[in-house]
């Protein structure tokens, strides 16, 4: 397959993401549980395929991104299963995904030495979030959720050292997980259409992250490989 064909396939897959996410969100809103369960795993699978077709070789950065995507997919699948154990497993896989993104952003994609000053908002978010969670009755999940908050905060902050596309994606991913935390652990907070908004920000965040990663990797390949 030529470079043009690969690029076209990648573009088609990225374009398919909003369609898959929209079908999933409509299924959630309309109570079609079977359709929401069917479509959810395809969100990250589409992104994994889009990234693979975006590049011509599997660099360390590409592999790191694919590991983070795989962990996200495993987290999605785990959260489809009811129960506290499955929720804990989902948290674990998503924490691994966030850690993978931190490594990717800091080690492979960084284009500035440190986050911008405005990224301190993520530190404020972390302190406020931990303070709020400490007032809730979370039982044995509390340490895991706090650790997860630290890791996803680090992901969002480190994304600001890459490109604007990735940084926006990191922020949306953080919003999605913050809404999950509020909806699940803070009974006093009621979020309208919580599931739909969570999945919309999740799909948009992950999509922008992977799109931004693909852009950087393609640009690097064009600089060193013949077309």
């Amino acid at each position: 397959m030529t470079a043009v064909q690969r690029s076209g396939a990648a573009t088609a897959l990225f374009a398919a993401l909003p369609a898959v996410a929209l079908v999933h969100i409509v299924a959630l809103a309309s109570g079609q549980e079977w359709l929401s369960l069917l479509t959810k795993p395809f969100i990250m699978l589409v992104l994994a395929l889009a990234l693979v077709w975006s590049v011509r070789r599997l660099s360390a950065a590409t592999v790191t991104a694919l590991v983070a995507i795989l962990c996200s997919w495993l987290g999605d699948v785990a959260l489809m299963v009811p129960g506290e154990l499955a929720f804990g497993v989902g948290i674990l896989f998503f924490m691994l995904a966030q850690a993978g993104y931190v490594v990717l952003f800091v080690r492979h994609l960084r284009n500035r030495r440190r986050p911008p000053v405005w990224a301190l908002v993520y530190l404020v978010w972390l302190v406020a979030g931990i303070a709020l969670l400490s007032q809730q009755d979370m039982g044995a999940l509390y340490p895991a959720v706090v650790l997860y908050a630290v890791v996803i905060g680090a992901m969002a902050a480190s994304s600001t050292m890459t490109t604007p596309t990735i940084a926006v994606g990191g922020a949306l991913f953080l919003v999605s997980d913050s809404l999950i935390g509020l909806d699940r652990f803070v009974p006093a907070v009621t979020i309208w259409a919580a599931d739909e908004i969570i999945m919309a920000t999740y799909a948009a965040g992950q999509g922008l992250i992977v799109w931004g990663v693909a852009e950087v990797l393609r640009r690097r390949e064009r600089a060193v490989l013949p077309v």
Side-chain angles (χ1 to χ4, degrees):
M1 182 176 287
T2 66
V4 173
Q5 290 172 323
R6 293 183 68 90
S7 178
T11 300
L13 286 164
F14 277 119
L17 175 65
V20 174
L22 180 60
V23 172
H24 176 71
I25 292 166
V26 170
L28 287 173
S30 60
Q32 301 295 319
E33 184 178 2
W34 68 272
L35 185 56
S36 67
L37 292 175
L38 179 65
T39 51
K40 187 176 182 180
F42 283 95
I43 293 173
M44 297 312 300
L45 287 178
V46 166
L47 286 176
L49 291 173
L51 181 59
V52 168
W53 285 114
S54 294
V55 298
R56 297 166 63 184
R57 60 186 180 88
L58 290 179
S59 63
T62 306
V63 172
T64 304
L66 288 173
V67 168
I69 292 170
L70 173 61
C71 288
S72 296
W73 180 80
L74 290 171
D76 282 338
V77 172
L79 293 180
M80 291 165 62
V81 180
E84 292 296 319
L85 178 60
F87 184 78
V89 172
I91 286 180
L92 174 61
F93 279 124
F94 273 113
M95 188 160 56
L96 292 173
Q98 306 295 350
Y101 279 136
V102 171
V103 173
L104 176 67
F105 300 156
V106 174
R107 184 179 179 88
H108 300 292
L109 302 183
R110 181 172 59 176
N111 58 23
R112 59 187 301 161
R113 294 183 61 185
R114 59 180 64 87
V117 174
W118 66 262
L120 285 172
V121 68
Y122 293 129
L123 179 59
V124 175
W125 166 88
L126 178 62
V127 173
I130 291 176
L132 179 62
L133 292 173
S134 68
Q135 301 174 29
Q136 314 305 315
D137 183 16
M138 298 175 57
L141 279 176
Y142 178 73
V145 173
V146 169
L147 178 59
Y148 182 80
V150 172
V151 177
I152 192 173
M155 181 281 300
S158 62
S159 73
T160 65
M161 296 190 293
T162 58
T163 69
T165 301
I166 296 174
V168 173
L172 287 173
F173 201 167
L174 181 78
V175 168
S176 177
D177 278 6
S178 298
L179 292 175
I180 291 176
L182 288 173
D183 186 58
R184 184 178 179 90
F185 299 119
V186 187
V189 175
T190 301
I191 302 173
W192 176 80
D195 291 341
E196 292 83 352
I197 296 173
I198 286 167
M199 288 309 301
T201 50
Y202 172 72
Q206 289 273 30
L208 287 171
I209 288 172
V210 179
W211 174 266
V213 171
E215 282 187 322
V216 174
L217 297 180
R218 282 194 297 249
R219 187 164 59 245
R220 289 179 180 177
E221 286 188 347
R222 285 195 296 268
V224 298
L225 295 175
V227 177

